Amino acid sequence: MTERLYYHDSFLYEFDAEVLDLVSASTSNPRAAVILDRTAFYPTSGGQVFDTGWILPAGTGDVSKRLRVAEVTESADGQILHVLESAGSIQKGSRIHGLIDIDRRRDHMQQHSGQHILSAAFVRLFNLPTVSFHMGLDSCSIDLDTKNLTIAQVEAAEALANDVVMENRAVAIRFVTREEAGKLGLRKLPPVEREQLRLIDVHDFDLTACGGTHVSATGQIGCILLRKTEKTRQGWRVEFVCGKRAVATVRRDYAVLAESAGLLSSHIWDIPQQVRKVQEETRASRKSREQLLEEVADLYASRLLAETVESGKRKIVVRMFPDRDLTFIKLLAQRLTRQSPAVVALLGITSEQPALVFAQSSGQPFDMGVLIKEVLARLGGRGGGSKDMAQGGLAQVAGMEAALAEVAARLNQ
Ligand SMILES: [Zn+2]
């Protein structure tokens, strides 16, 4: 079994070890994985994601020979697998020097220790236990076992957690038997039966069993920032970021806010008010546009009816529009057939999305649905409708004018 050096020292960033075996990473991943007699690399477990880094043949000191440790996993039987980008000249029995990616490790320590304090804060203040922890690429989250969670609770837990950070309390690693652990009042006992438990002790604030890498004093966490909360099937999820991740997140948020404020020519704090104003203006202008279009359609209909000569007790209006949309010609067809009790309108749009609208005044003898289907079948398109009103879209404009003229001639007979 590999000795887990990170159990005793989260700040051990370099170590020497012997290669016990060289295997493939998994059945689905043929990449080489190294098993060592001891390691400072943390494998993904308990919500915390793996370390990355490098290993190089011991004694060379030649960084060009270093091999990238791309992932570290723990197999079902408890072996720690250091998955390499390429195996290089590493062989079973050889000695290596391991180097942990320090920035990544520090980030993980900030997130994970921050999580312990945050979870403890929710228990202390509101008796809300954490049921799971997830460390993501951008943010982390805990799932709380509760039906309700208010913004006031979130802010109170954040404030208490940050107080604990600023107090710079010592964070110690302790090993106890399961029996001893039972008497210590841990926040969380692991379900697995182990002889010895590893505890993370945030002085006078939180004591919990955990295998992760942690800071040695809470001040190293920097800060804890709570973000989105959302209801899940079993409770509430709270997103958070700690330390440098929090600074990076806020920096990105600020850039977005500053850009938005620039677009609105306002201060970032006035963005919601400005957006509401823009929304109201948009609604008002949409409404006035609709009103104007109806008026235009009314006037247009009157003009078309005045221009069209009656033939056989009715007027047949045929018109093509290069710059109108379907909504408008439907509106126009509606106005035409309402303004006159004996009109048939055959309207088309010849823009990028060609379309047809056929309509007749109520009581006229034709069937617009049937007529439009005939035309669409001939020109290529889809659509349909009722006896008095039908519409359809065409693939192309070619042939539209001739088809409408042909339908009009037929209705005139
Ligand atoms: Zn933990």
Side-chain angles (χ1 to χ4, degrees), residues 115 118-119 122 128-134 140-146 149 187-188 228-240:
Q115 179 262 313
L118 183 60
S119 291
F122 273 113
L128 299 182
T130 294
V131 287
S132 69
F133 162 46
H134 171 75
C140 307
S141 64
I142 50 172
D143 284 351
L144 296 173
D145 182 8
T146 178
L149 185 70
R187 178 163 55 79
K188 203 171 174 184
K228 197 172 88 178
T229 59
E230 62 179 327
K231 190 145 182 37
T232 61
R233 215 147 35 94
Q234 279 141 5
W236 278 82
R237 180 160 299 160
V238 178
E239 266 184 28
F240 67 95

Side-chain angles (χ1 to χ4, degrees), residues 42 45-48 112-113 115-116 133 187 198 200 208-214:
Y42 185 82
S45 54
Q48 184 180 328
H112 198 160
S113 297
Q115 179 262 313
H116 279 215
F133 162 46
R187 178 163 55 79
R198 179 178 185 263
I200 301 301
T208 195
C210 176
T213 53
H214 287 272

Side-chain angles (χ1 to χ4, degrees), residues 42-247:
Y42 185 82
T44 295
S45 54
Q48 184 180 328
V49 287
F50 58 85
D51 282 320
T52 59
W54 303 267
I55 58 173
L56 67 162
T60 62
D62 182 357
V63 286
S64 71
K65 289 211 172 106
R66 68 186 193 174
L67 306 168
R68 177 82 182 149
V69 178
E71 191 183 352
V72 186
T73 63
E74 192 170 343
S75 66
D77 59 352
Q79 293 280 19
I80 296 174
L81 304 176
H82 305 76
V83 183
L84 301 175
E85 257 168 22
S86 83
S89 58
I90 293 284
Q91 281 174 353
K92 194 171 164 175
S94 63
R95 306 237 3 124
I96 61 99
H97 186 65
L99 299 159
I100 305 293
D101 181 327
I102 298 174
D103 286 343
R104 184 176 163 97
R105 162 66 67 85
R106 280 194 185 133
D107 170 60
H108 292 176
M109 292 198 289
Q110 288 184 324
Q111 310 314 312
H112 198 160
S113 297
Q115 179 262 313
H116 279 215
I117 290 169
L118 183 60
S119 291
F122 273 113
V123 170
R124 287 210 170 204
L125 293 173
F126 309 111
N127 200 26
L128 299 182
T130 294
V131 287
S132 69
F133 162 46
H134 171 75
M135 189 188 283
L137 226 51
D138 290 322
S139 67
C140 307
S141 64
I142 50 172
D143 284 351
L144 296 173
D145 182 8
T146 178
K147 284 200 168 59
N148 301 302
L149 185 70
T150 65
I151 290 294
Q153 285 178 312
V154 167
E155 287 178 1
E158 184 183 62
L160 174 57
N162 280 295
D163 283 345
V164 172
V165 169
M166 313 240 167
E167 286 154 11
N168 200 23
R169 294 178 187 232
V171 179
I173 302 165
R174 286 164 63 183
F175 290 90
V176 295
T177 64
R178 202 174 169 85
E179 196 189 336
E180 284 170 320
K183 295 173 199 156
L184 290 171
L186 301 190
R187 178 163 55 79
K188 203 171 174 184
L189 259 175
V192 275
E193 283 294 332
R194 277 209 204 100
E195 275 295 293
Q196 206 184 37
L197 289 182
R198 179 178 185 263
L199 305 183
I200 301 301
D201 186 352
V202 179
H203 183 67
D204 260 357
F205 189 72
D206 185 49
L207 186 61
T208 195
C210 176
T213 53
H214 287 272
V215 298
S216 57
T218 58
Q220 291 158 1
I221 297 167
C223 62
I224 302 175
L225 175 69
L226 269 55
R227 290 170 59 81
K228 197 172 88 178
T229 59
E230 62 179 327
K231 190 145 182 37
T232 61
R233 215 147 35 94
Q234 279 141 5
W236 278 82
R237 180 160 299 160
V238 178
E239 266 184 28
F240 67 95
V241 275
C242 302
K244 281 177 89 172
R245 223 188 249 222
V247 175

Side-chain angles (χ1 to χ4, degrees), residues 3-14:
E3 185 191 346
R4 297 170 192 240
L5 302 170
Y6 59 84
Y7 266 178
H8 306 277
D9 186 359
S10 300
F11 295 84
L12 182 70
Y13 300 134
E14 290 190 36

